[in-house]
Amino acid sequence: MSATAVASAALLAGALGAPATAADRTPSATPLKMTVSLRADLLKEAKADTATTARALGLGAQEELHVKDVVKDRDGTVHTRYDRTYQGLRVLGGDLIVHTAKSGKQLGVNRASKAELSLDTSPKTLKAAPKGATKVVWAPRATSPVLAYETVAKSVKKDGTPSELHTVTDAASGKRLARWDGVETGLGHSEYNGDVEIGTSPSSGGGFELTDADRGGHKTYNLDNSSAGTGALVTDDDDEWGDGTPDDPQTAAVDAAYGAAETWDYYKDVHGRSGIAGDGKGATSRVHYGNNYVNAFWQDSCFCMTYGDGAGNAAPLTALDVAAHEMSHGVTAATAGLIYSGESGGLNEATSDIMATAVEFYSNTDEDPGDYLIGEKIDINGDGSPLRYMDEPSKDGASRDYWSSDLGNTDVHYSSGPANHFFYLLSEGSGAKTVNGVDYDSPTYDDSTVTGIGIDKAAQVWFKALSEYMTSTTDYADARAATLSAAGDLYGEDSAEYQAVDAAWAAINVS
Ligand SMILES: [Ca+2]
Ligand SMILES: [Ca+2]
Ligand SMILES: [Ca+2]
Ligand SMILES: [Zn+2]
């Protein structure tokens, strides 16, 4: 595994794989390639209209909409995502998406909560606010909105992973309503992509730095075993980086920079999205976090990716599916905002596995070809087995294969199983199959046979559902509806693709 990265800013532009999809084969409901200025214009338009839109949706005078994201399809349909405030308080579960035809006609609305908002935000009897709390309105999917306090407690867990624990309590009773961690951890990894080109820039003091000018100025930092701060921007004197082994501290930085670049290119080339937040801005990556730290994580608060060096500091967790998994948490945060607990948390995790797998198939290097395994390059279990299997998630000993009513009570890394399984079935179909040399044998809940539509179409369906139909409170039943809407838009409701989406959900016990 010689991962000598030879690169310069000048060499890079457009050098990394343009996708093979021909524009004329692309359905008109796929997202338009969004430039930063087009997106800015659409956001500006939506922002100017928020009051009118709020009234048109029948929202009360106390409610305000705040534009979060906007997607425009090739056929001119615009999907505008809003957060909501009520009497100036943030409404958790107040997010909604408005779909508008090219003609200006409103096509529909997806709401995280359908409940009407009318509550006293300053009642006389109120529990004292916990320290550091923010008053919010908690509007979960199934019950009435209540006044609540949200606190964020920052700490570091025993294994060195930072934690930003969000707790929502009922402001009247003090009862805990929800809890989730804002630091979304996932996997472990080694490095490995062979010789790659990475985006670098000339350094002001001479030499080069790991700043990718072609991808929003993404920067890679070396924490040098610290677990705090930004670290030092990785620099080099001759623009040839790393030696393909963990002995050279630059090697992990090369893999991290490559992972960020491939993830950026995938979202841009395939889904027309410019950067994780869609605003054209690059994130940052930090390598060599802590000591013997066997994990990697994304933090929305610093818009940054962090990688440990693995067991014995000998196997940096910088493989592509880990990188793309973690950065896709940033995409989910900037779009559907799926709450990281219960069924929505499982769907959040699954989205990261699904998009990471799509990125891996897109990148498809000889050293790391596409597969439906997560973390197959890490050997985190010490026996060569991957972290997760999408064809039959229970093979990891903990994940669920099928939906059941208690699914929301399991850890989000296991309740992601059925959605990962759905994505495998939608891509490749049920039963035995070999893809890129890996053998799969995907079962179905009802012993039905599912015919796959290929990973490219399956990923189009999932991303469109994520960015245009899912909200913060989406559960498995909603995800089915969201993907059916997406497949209907893309391929028509009479299409084989639409039927396959339906069949794949039934095969994981969601119908
Ligand atoms: Ca060098
Ligand atoms: Ca692979
Ligand atoms: Ca993989
Ligand atoms: Zn994750």
Side-chain angles (χ1 to χ4, degrees):
M1 57 176 198
S2 69
T4 320
V6 189
S8 77
L11 268 179
L12 279 182
L16 287 168
T21 49
D24 51 303
R25 280 202 280 117
T26 311
S28 63
T30 49
L32 202 62
K33 215 147 269 183
M34 252 309 206
T35 62
V36 169
S37 70
L38 171 61
R39 183 167 186 273
D41 285 349
L42 289 168
L43 286 173
K44 202 171 146 196
E45 249 170 65
K47 275 176 189 160
D49 283 345
T50 49
T52 323
T53 306
R55 300 300 86 79
L57 294 173
L59 302 187
Q62 316 273 25
E63 296 174 62
E64 264 181 45
L65 292 176
H66 303 268
V67 183
K68 177 178 176 180
D69 192 30
V70 61
V71 179
K72 187 172 188 174
D73 296 342
R74 300 158 65 93
D75 63 9
T77 310
V78 175
H79 311 268
T80 312
R81 184 182 292 277
Y82 300 92
D83 283 328
R84 207 180 343 163
T85 55
Y86 178 77
Q87 292 185 7
L89 304 181
R90 210 152 50 88
V91 182
L92 302 178
D95 47 306
L96 52 90
I97 311 152
V98 177
H99 313 285
T100 314
K102 195 179 174 187
S103 66
K105 183 170 172 259
Q106 199 198 93
L107 298 169
V109 186
N110 288 69
R111 299 170 198 254
S113 163
K114 293 196 173 88
E116 217 167 283
L117 286 178
S118 81
L119 64 168
D120 187 351
T121 57
S122 312
K124 284 198 192 76
T125 51
L126 207 60
K127 280 270 192 265
K131 202 167 154 244
T134 312
K135 210 197 267 183
V136 297
V137 174
W138 174 246
R141 197 164 162 279
T143 51
S144 301
V146 293
L147 194 61
Y149 293 120
E150 183 189 22
T151 55
V152 183
K154 294 191 182 184
S155 63
V156 177
K157 291 188 222 171
K158 244 195 256 163
D159 74 346
T161 308
S163 167
E164 294 169 14
L165 199 61
H166 293 245
T167 305
V168 180
T169 54
D170 189 310
S173 69
K175 195 176 147 251
R176 192 213 286 174
L177 297 168
R179 172 170 274 184
W180 68 90
D181 204 317
V183 179
E184 294 168 351
T185 56
L187 325 146
H189 249 276
S190 70
E191 79 237 303
Y192 209 10
N193 282 289
D195 292 349
V196 290
E197 293 186 342
I198 50 175
T200 67
S201 302
S203 198
S204 56
F208 300 86
E209 60 185 49
L210 264 188
T211 298
D212 191 341
D214 290 334
R215 297 181 184 83
H218 174 274
K219 289 179 192 294
T220 306
Y221 294 89
N222 180 2
L223 280 169
D224 198 16
N225 301 119
S226 166
S227 42
T230 308
L233 184 59
V234 180
T235 58
D236 188 63
D237 52 0
D238 64 358
D239 213 11
E240 187 170 340
W241 309 72
D243 69 354
T245 77
D247 298 341
D248 183 340
Q250 280 189 352
T251 302
V254 169
D255 281 293
Y258 178 76
E262 285 298 286
T263 304
W264 175 285
D265 288 355
Y266 169 76
Y267 279 108
K268 189 158 195 179
D269 290 346
V270 177
H271 301 295
R273 184 174 187 84
S274 187
I276 287 167
D279 59 1
K281 293 194 181 115
T284 55
S285 296
R286 305 185 302 168
V287 294
H288 304 304
Y289 173 85
N291 235 314
N292 299 309
Y293 181 66
V294 191
N295 214 334
F297 55 88
W298 167 265
Q299 274 167 298
D300 222 45
S301 51
C302 56
F303 207 61
C304 71
M305 248 324 292
T306 304
Y307 301 93
D309 284 330
N313 289 329
L317 287 94
T318 46
L320 185 61
D321 58 2
V322 177
H325 172 106
E326 298 303 335
M327 283 181 275
S328 293
H329 277 309
V331 173
T332 298
T335 55
L338 290 160
I339 293 171
Y340 205 55
S341 68
E343 287 194 21
S344 59
L347 291 165
N348 187 324
E349 263 305 306
T351 296
S352 278
D353 283 349
I354 287 167
M355 300 319 291
T357 295
V359 171
E360 198 178 276
F361 272 90
Y362 169 83
S363 164
N364 207 28
T365 59
D366 291 346
E367 294 81 0
D368 188 2
D371 51 60
Y372 295 91
L373 311 170
I374 304 297
E376 72 280 2
K377 313 272 307 169
I378 321 171
D379 196 19
I380 204 168
N381 301 322
D383 59 1
S385 65
L387 212 51
R388 287 191 282 274
Y389 303 79
M390 299 177 86
D391 64 321
E392 191 176 2
S394 62
K395 279 201 278 188
D396 69 4
S399 290
R400 300 284 186 89
D401 288 334
Y402 308 109
W403 181 86
S404 60
S405 58
D406 67 341
L407 185 68
N409 302 328
T410 54
D411 182 277
V412 292
H413 295 92
Y414 306 139
S415 59
S416 58
N420 280 349
H421 189 190
F422 159 83
F423 186 76
Y424 176 86
L425 287 167
L426 183 61
S427 300
E428 304 294 344
S430 55
K433 187 165 184 181
T434 303
V435 183
N436 287 344
V438 180
D439 296 333
Y440 304 97
D441 193 359
S442 193
T444 58
Y445 183 79
D446 48 3
D447 287 326
S448 61
T449 300
V450 178
T451 305
I453 61 173
I455 187 169
D456 290 350
K457 285 179 175 175
Q460 288 289 350
V461 167
W462 192 270
F463 184 78
K464 190 176 178 72
L466 176 81
S467 59
E468 297 177 10
Y469 292 108
M470 292 185 193
T471 67
S472 60
T473 63
T474 292
D475 62 9
Y476 267 75
D478 296 335
R480 174 180 180 273
T483 51
L484 284 171
S485 294
D489 292 349
L490 288 165
Y491 308 109
E493 290 186 9
D494 299 327
S495 63
E497 290 85 353
Y498 188 92
Q499 295 304 323
V501 170
D502 194 35
W505 282 115
I508 63 146
N509 194 27
V510 179
S511 53

